[in-house]
Amino acid sequence: MIIGVPKEIKEHEYRVGLLPVGVEELRRAGHVVLIESGAGAGSGLADEDYRRHGATIVDERERIWGESKLLVKVKEPQPDELMLIQSGQLVFCYFHFAANQPLTRGLLDSGATAIAYETLRDDSGRRPLLTPMSEVAGRMSIQEGAKCLERPQEGRGILLGGVPGVEPAHVVILGGGVVGSNAAKIAAGMGANVVMLDVNLDRLRFLDEVMPPNVTTLYSDRHTIRQQLQLADLVIGAVLIEGARAPMLVERGDLTSMKSAAVIVDVAIDQGGCVETSRPTTHGQPTFVIDGVVHYCVTNMPGAVGRTSTYALCNATLPFVLTLAAESLPAAAHRDPRIVSAVNVHQGHVTNHAVAETFGLSHVPYAS
Ligand SMILES: NC(=O)c1ccc[n+]([C@@H]2O[C@H](COP(=O)([O-])OP(=O)(O)OC[C@H]3O[C@@H](n4cnc5c(N)ncnc54)[C@H](O)[C@@H]3O)[C@@H](O)[C@H]2O)c1
């Protein structure tokens, strides 16, 4: 099979869909790999690294899209790329269709098959291709939050870990899932006082067992959230309700009770955010201030640490790339049923229930 890896063209996106080791594995299995020139540059991977492991480096994006049967990407196809997709192609990347009607329409019209990282599920309901990016965003939320707390970034001028004789920052984490637990680990390691809130008591029990002593777990209700917001120097928004908009846990009125120049990093912004005053921002201009509180709401946080994120993502995606390349889609889906959960659009039909419901389209389940 011919596998194509285009250079990402979304703003401030530095990741790439395949590592040189992925090229080597695919070549060993007898496939041809086309890599667009410069595709790995944002992640510190030169064309030569790919060429050395058997890739063909291609200058023209049109040739990658024109010749490949399987396209391996990171972000959803941009409008310029939508025009290049061909009927019968398999496109494997993040799509987040429910947030993008023109993209859904474009894929339906193309006749291609969209296999979405974000909906791929294993037997226990975990999302193995989403988890690595939540791990990156969770860890990064503390790094970014710590920076925002510095006075030149309009923060309170607080060092996260304090120093001997001066108390550390109080960090409040809303949601104790993948993002929340990774944030807590880093904040605790830097010496902050950390409080994690969640509505899942079993999750809180687990976190209480595994987290260090400077992490406290609390049940997430309106009273506790209000109390904690008053104490917080840094708030991390890390909640998720499967398939739904993020719950609004911090209301506009709550900001006035917070310390002046406190910081909110709303990681859940890609699902609408869990703070009423949040709105999406970019790495170019990541923050804004409302009622004296600094808001950081970047929707693609992992994109900024392209090298770490590319390795984390490709570690998880490569086994599926190899399976998809090895045989026809029906045979691949039969061999690994997790692939069925990732097929969102196939031959002009929406095959994902939530996407169909969002746009009032008919749902035609994928049958391998
Ligand atoms: N901005 C970015 O670049 C970026 C990157 C990765 C992930 N994310 C987003 O971060 C969010 C969290 O992702 P995750 O992988 O940690 O999800 P997750 O499912 O692992 O964890 C979410 C947690 O929120 C908890 N929760 C639900 N309602 C709550 C409430 N009312 N109060 C407190 N906790 C509540 C759940 O019990 C769960 O433990 C998602 O919206 C995800 O899309 C954003």
Side-chain angles (χ1 to χ4, degrees):
M1 184 184 283
I2 301 181
I3 296 107
V5 180
K7 181 173 162 55
E8 295 296 319
I9 57 173
K10 189 167 179 163
E11 195 190 352
H12 287 296
E13 181 51 66
Y14 302 105
R15 290 170 286 181
V16 59
L18 200 67
L19 290 170
V21 68
V23 173
E24 184 172 324
E25 295 289 343
L26 286 164
R27 291 287 294 144
R28 200 202 310 277
H31 305 296
V32 172
V33 185
L34 308 181
I35 304 271
E36 185 175 346
S37 178
S43 301
L45 297 162
D47 289 350
E48 187 47 36
D49 297 328
Y50 287 102
R51 192 180 284 117
R52 206 168 344 114
H53 295 284
T56 303
I57 305 298
V58 174
D59 286 331
E60 311 80 33
R61 183 161 26 120
E62 292 73 15
R63 208 185 127 199
I64 300 265
W65 287 91
E67 293 182 14
S68 308
K69 166 75 179 167
L70 169 63
L71 275 304
V72 181
K73 274 178 56 58
V74 179
K75 294 306 285 184
E76 71 280 1
Q78 301 300 293
D80 283 358
E81 293 175 312
L82 268 182
M83 295 185 300
L84 301 173
I85 300 181
Q86 319 223 343
S87 180
Q89 272 178 335
L90 309 179
V91 187
F92 190 37
C93 61
Y94 289 114
F95 281 96
H96 296 288
F97 279 116
N100 194 337
Q101 191 162 19
L103 178 73
T104 310
R105 190 72 267 156
L107 259 297
L108 285 170
D109 291 345
S110 73
T113 299
I115 308 172
Y117 292 166
E118 70 273 10
T119 64
L120 191 142
R121 289 189 163 281
D122 64 17
D123 288 345
S124 332
R126 285 182 297 246
R127 294 156 297 162
L129 304 188
L130 203 55
T131 299
M133 294 305 100
S134 287
E135 290 168 339
V136 170
R139 289 174 185 222
M140 201 177 154
S141 67
I142 298 301
Q143 191 169 310
E144 297 300 305
K147 189 76 194 157
C148 291
L149 276 172
E150 293 174 8
R151 195 63 204 129
Q153 321 300 322
E154 303 187 79
R156 284 173 52 71
I158 298 248
L159 184 65
L160 217 58
V163 289
V166 181
E167 64 179 359
H170 189 82
V171 178
V172 174
I173 302 176
L174 303 171
V178 180
V179 168
S181 55
N182 277 275
K185 193 172 165 182
I186 299 300
M190 289 172 83
N193 276 333
V194 183
V195 173
M196 303 183 75
L197 291 85
D198 205 297
V199 286
N200 179 337
L201 285 172
D202 284 334
R203 183 69 184 168
L204 289 178
R205 282 185 192 106
F206 168 76
L207 292 168
D208 189 63
E209 287 291 322
V210 300
M211 286 290 162
N214 53 337
V215 177
T216 305
T217 56
L218 291 177
Y219 185 76
S220 172
D221 61 30
R222 187 72 191 122
H223 285 187
T224 314
I225 291 172
R226 263 206 306 260
Q227 261 170 12
Q228 286 300 318
L229 289 175
Q230 290 166 19
L231 301 172
D233 297 300
L234 172 60
V235 177
I236 307 295
V239 296
L240 176 65
I241 296 177
E242 196 61 51
R245 195 200 178 286
M248 194 68 76
L249 301 187
V250 180
E251 297 172 5
R252 170 138 200 178
D254 296 333
L255 298 189
T256 51
S257 72
M258 292 178 69
K259 295 174 182 169
S260 173
V263 173
I264 298 175
V265 176
D266 196 353
V267 185
I269 188 67
D270 61 344
Q271 295 287 129
C274 59
V275 177
E276 190 176 355
T277 41
S278 290
R279 59 172 164 76
T281 61
T282 64
H283 288 294
Q285 185 131 22
T287 59
F288 57 91
V289 180
I290 294 184
D291 292 343
V293 175
V294 179
H295 293 56
Y296 174 105
C297 307
V298 175
T299 49
N300 66 333
M301 293 173 67
V305 287
R307 193 168 169 94
T308 301
S309 300
T310 289
Y311 277 83
L313 180 63
C314 293
N315 288 343
T317 55
L318 182 60
F320 296 100
V321 175
L322 288 165
T323 303
L324 288 168
E327 41 206 343
S328 67
L329 180 61
H334 186 71
R335 179 135 71 94
D336 187 343
R338 291 174 297 179
I339 288 173
V340 176
S341 61
V343 179
N344 279 220
V345 170
H346 180 59
Q347 293 176 347
H349 298 289
V350 179
T351 48
N352 178 282
H353 185 261
V355 176
E357 203 171 64
T358 302
F359 298 122
L361 296 165
S362 50
H363 171 224
V364 181
Y366 177 76
S368 59

